[in-house]
Amino acid sequence: GVVGLGTGSVACYARPGQDYIYYEIDPLVAKFASDPQHFTYLSDCTPEPNIVLGDGRLSLASEPENHFNLLLIDAFSSSSVPTHLLTLEAVGLYLSRLSEDGVLVMHVSNNHMNLPKVVARVADSLGAPARYQYFNPTPEQAELEDAHASQVVVLARTEAALAKLDADPNWVVLTGDGRRPWSDDYTNVIGAIMEKKR
């Protein structure tokens, strides 16, 4: 499951036999991503994509529990962050939709806010194991592959589900700092901005 369609580039990670469901709130984004005159990721890699229009969190709430092996939340890189996708209740929902060994991948790169800390506090409160990676491309990667720096957090229902990541030194254990996690009743956007500037 993919929340945040964008141009549909994630489609090209699909392997034979895998089914992807894309959740996208903006019909125009879905229209342009699906039009090969603009972008060809979907048409080349997952023809006839299953795109569910609407708020990703609300759409996931209607999916059965234990449904996904992988759930990607990729909706935080713009200046306008949908905070309701980063709360205790939201992450608890995502985890409930994962299979026992499934993983929740959250692309939390943001120019203005320290979102890994936000997710770390939520994960701690939920008792969910989490791993973090900051990818900083080499000059060669940036030039040849058009790679950009990115931050990713992976959560799961069990430590065993993250065993493969633990074998890679680029992934580190992510823990909270005991501060209040975001919830549907509380978000601290200014605090996340200030932590980014430190």
Side-chain angles (χ1 to χ4, degrees):
V2 180
V3 175
L5 174 62
T7 60
S9 60
V10 169
C12 293
Y13 289 98
R15 296 177 182 175
Q18 291 181 335
D19 295 316
Y20 277 39
I21 303 174
Y22 305 95
Y23 301 91
E24 176 56 51
I25 196 168
D26 189 336
L28 281 177
V29 169
K31 176 182 177 183
F32 282 104
S34 301
D35 186 343
Q37 291 185 338
H38 296 285
F39 301 101
T40 60
Y41 300 115
L42 291 178
S43 59
D44 287 349
C45 300
T46 56
E48 301 181 13
N50 184 357
I51 300 174
V52 177
L53 290 176
D55 179 88
R57 178 175 165 181
L58 295 177
S59 298
L60 284 173
S62 66
E63 299 287 4
E65 293 187 358
N66 310 310
H67 185 63
F68 296 99
N69 297 114
L70 185 145
L71 188 56
L72 170 64
I73 313 297
D74 189 15
F76 310 122
S77 59
S78 71
S79 297
S80 177
V81 172
T83 57
H84 74 293
L85 296 179
L86 284 167
T87 64
L88 278 167
E89 295 84 356
V91 176
L93 169 69
Y94 308 150
L95 292 171
S96 74
R97 271 31 185 187
L98 289 178
S99 60
E100 185 69 19
D101 60 351
V103 293
L104 169 63
V105 180
M106 302 182 78
H107 177 211
V108 291
S109 303
N110 190 272
N111 290 329
H112 308 290
M113 291 184 242
N114 189 331
L115 297 181
K117 278 195 176 180
V118 171
V119 177
R121 292 167 187 152
V122 168
D124 266 10
S125 295
L126 292 171
R131 304 294 184 266
Y132 168 77
Q133 182 178 153
Y134 173 69
F135 171 73
N136 192 16
T138 64
E140 293 78 16
Q141 287 173 317
E143 183 176 348
L144 296 175
E145 304 170 21
D146 195 29
H148 300 273
S150 60
Q151 296 178 291
V152 176
V153 175
V154 178
L155 297 86
R157 293 167 59 180
T158 66
E159 288 282 354
L162 301 178
K164 288 185 179 180
L165 298 186
D166 290 335
D168 181 343
N170 292 310
W171 292 95
V172 297
V173 174
L174 183 68
T175 57
D177 54 13
R179 298 179 67 179
R180 185 177 181 184
W182 285 10
S183 69
D184 287 350
D185 297 322
Y186 168 81
T187 56
N188 184 0
V189 171
I190 298 300
I193 292 172
M194 297 304 294
E195 288 175 335
K196 182 76 172 183
K197 292 182 177 180
R198 289 179 192 162

